[in-house]
């Protein structure tokens, strides 16, 4: 396997120097052309971890750790250097494009601005033509006409397509996508996922995809990182996650989702709620909601570290081997 294009080491995001941690000790690698899916419930720290990579955290956030892009630590780079990285070598597709588009500028002008921001010698006419080509490339109908329309004249799916056009305008090496299919209907969601896949194939970019939707993960990810209460609790190839989850939280997520065509299977909701930032239990954060280790003193008092349980499959669970054995011998599948 090629060397990672991005290496995240012990990433932490706190609100205040001594404040609670929204992200705690997150580490992972992303390789060229690979899609890493980060999944978890709302409040698990997924979006905060993604935004920290480009130093887009809230002003009161304290970010620690290392984000290694080649031989550069992006957390130590001056802001002028980060301005050259954002949108050029690392680009981001945000969750709600309505929030990030300027309502008083045309969509084409904003896509063209993404081009000219990193290619100052490009003329306005050439940048506009590039914007039209990009909008056409992401499937915007009548791109020449739509280029001169404002964001409110686009549907939700079209705005998301336009945001992807902005993200791939400079053919970045890494594409970050934060819940890119949220609030879209199933048909449009499938189209957006196909578009992300095609964009990745054409540019060769590595992709980090944040979502709470396991169906999206199954569709597009190569590897999966499962987050809970700000920490990574499991990491494995996507097929391993779905066939043999090695953490009770991952198993519970899979059991709580509906299966198309399986009308006899009852959904199993996860009891309780994810703990609030700063109110984590002393041991495993998932312990109060866990059937496997709820009565185990070790689970209540000792926080498990993420460790390799089988080749390529890591879990932060004291009972990971037992769970993997249960899933294998029972033949239970997601």
């Amino acid at each position: 396997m090629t060397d990672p294009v991005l290496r995240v080491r012990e990433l932490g995001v706190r609100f205040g120097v001594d404040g609670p941690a929204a992200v705690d000790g997150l580490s992972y690698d992303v390789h060229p052309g690979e899609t890493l899916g980060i999944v978890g419930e709302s409040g698990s720290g997924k979006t905060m971890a993604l935004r920290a990579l480009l130093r887009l955290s809230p002003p009161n956030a304290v970010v620690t750790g290392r984000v290694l892009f080649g031989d550069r630590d992006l957390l130590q780079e001056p802001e002028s250097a980060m301005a050259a990285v954002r949108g050029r070598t690392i680009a981001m597709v945000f969750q709600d494009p309505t929030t990030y588009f300027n309502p008083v500028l045309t969509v084409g002008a904003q896509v063209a601005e993404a081009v000219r921001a990193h290619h100052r010698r490009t003329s306005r006419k050439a940048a506009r033509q590039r914007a039209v080509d990009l909008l056409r490339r992401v499937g915007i109908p009548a791109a020449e006409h739509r280029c001169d329309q404002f964001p409110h004249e686009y549907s939700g799916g079209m705005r998301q397509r336009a945001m992807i056009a902005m993200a791939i305008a400079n053919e970045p090496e890494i594409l970050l996508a934060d819940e890119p299919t949220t609030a879209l209907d199933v048909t449009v969601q499938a189209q957006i996922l196909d578009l992300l896949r095609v964009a990745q194939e054409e540019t060769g970019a590595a992709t980090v995809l944040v979502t709470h939707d396991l169906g999206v993960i199954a569709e597009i990810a190569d590897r999966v990182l499962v987050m809970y209460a700000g920490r990574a609790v499991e990491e494995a190839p996507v097929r391993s996650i779905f066939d043999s989850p090695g953490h009770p939280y991952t198993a519970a997520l899979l059991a709580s989702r509906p299966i198309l065509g399986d009308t006899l299977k009852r959904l199993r909701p996860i009891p309780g709620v994810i703990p609030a930032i700063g109110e984590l239990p002393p041991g495993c954060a998932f312990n109060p909601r866990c059937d496997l280790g709820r009565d185990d003193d070790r689970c209540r008092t000792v926080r498990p570290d993420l460790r390799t349980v089988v080749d390529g499959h890591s879990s932060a669970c004291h009972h990971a081997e037992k769970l993997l054995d249960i899933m294998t011998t029972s033949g239970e599948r997601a």
Side-chain angles (χ1 to χ4, degrees):
M1 182 176 290
T2 57
D3 293 335
V5 67
L6 182 71
R7 293 170 290 159
V8 178
R9 295 292 180 268
E10 295 296 322
L11 181 67
V13 181
R14 293 181 178 274
F15 294 101
V17 177
D18 298 318
V23 180
D24 185 9
L26 188 65
S27 298
Y28 59 85
D29 292 338
V30 187
H31 296 267
E34 177 186 43
T35 297
L36 173 69
I38 301 181
V39 66
E41 291 173 274
S42 296
S44 62
K46 309 182 304 297
T47 293
M48 200 64 66
L50 195 69
R51 292 174 67 92
L53 302 182
L54 285 177
R55 291 179 24 196
L56 297 175
S57 302
N60 63 332
V62 177
V63 181
T64 57
R66 294 183 296 164
V67 176
L68 302 172
F69 178 62
D71 58 356
R72 304 163 61 187
D73 183 352
L74 299 184
L75 298 186
Q76 302 300 322
E77 291 287 300
E79 181 57 31
S80 58
M82 287 304 300
V85 168
R86 299 188 191 108
R88 177 64 184 92
T89 52
I90 304 178
M92 189 163 181
V93 177
F94 294 96
Q95 179 175 346
D96 182 6
T98 305
T99 305
Y100 293 95
F101 274 115
N102 188 325
V104 300
L105 295 177
T106 65
V107 172
Q110 294 180 68
V111 176
E113 183 182 9
V115 175
R116 297 191 76 226
H118 299 284
H119 302 277
R120 295 293 185 183
R121 295 183 179 180
T122 301
S123 68
R124 293 185 182 277
K125 181 178 180 181
R128 185 190 185 282
Q129 185 56 52
R130 171 69 170 156
V132 171
D133 293 342
L134 285 164
L135 291 176
R136 187 177 294 118
R137 181 174 169 185
V138 297
I140 299 292
E144 185 80 33
H145 167 67
R146 293 284 190 180
C147 185
D148 296 322
Q149 290 186 325
F150 292 90
H152 73 271
E153 298 179 273
Y154 278 41
S155 67
M158 288 173 63
R159 281 193 293 268
Q160 193 62 280
R161 288 174 180 271
M163 178 154 285
I164 293 173
M166 291 177 67
I168 66 174
N170 298 296
E171 299 188 349
E173 295 181 45
I174 302 172
L175 187 63
L176 309 178
D178 182 18
E179 302 272 11
T181 59
T182 296
L184 300 178
D185 64 50
V186 175
T187 301
V188 177
Q189 174 178 294
Q191 293 171 352
I192 295 298
L193 291 179
D194 285 340
L195 178 58
L196 285 172
R197 187 183 299 108
V198 170
Q200 182 186 41
E201 290 173 353
E202 290 181 352
T203 63
T207 301
V208 181
L209 171 70
V210 160
T211 182
H212 64 273
D213 190 331
L214 288 166
V216 171
I217 289 293
E219 180 74 17
I220 199 171
D222 299 306
R223 283 190 303 117
V224 184
L225 181 75
V226 183
M227 288 187 68
Y228 185 79
R231 303 190 76 225
V233 296
E234 186 165 12
E235 183 179 3
V238 63
R239 195 64 262 169
S240 296
I241 287 285
F242 279 81
D243 285 350
S244 302
H247 193 282
Y249 176 58
T250 309
L253 283 177
L254 292 168
S256 67
R257 68 190 184 103
I259 304 298
L260 186 65
D262 191 348
T263 58
L264 299 179
K265 181 181 178 181
R266 291 180 60 86
L267 299 182
R268 290 181 283 174
I270 306 174
V273 296
I274 193 167
I277 296 175
E279 299 180 6
L280 301 183
C284 175
F286 188 62
N287 178 254
R289 309 172 72 186
C290 180
D291 292 330
L292 191 61
R294 182 178 295 125
D295 299 323
D296 189 322
D297 287 339
R298 184 175 53 163
C299 294
R300 286 196 294 261
T301 59
V302 179
R303 189 174 74 172
D305 293 323
L306 190 68
R307 59 189 176 86
T308 300
V309 288
V310 295
D311 188 33
H313 197 144
S314 301
S315 173
C317 176
H318 295 304
H319 300 280
E321 289 84 359
K322 178 180 178 181
L323 179 60
L324 286 172
D325 185 60
I326 291 172
M327 301 302 292
T328 301
T329 57
S330 68
E332 186 173 337
R333 299 175 70 92

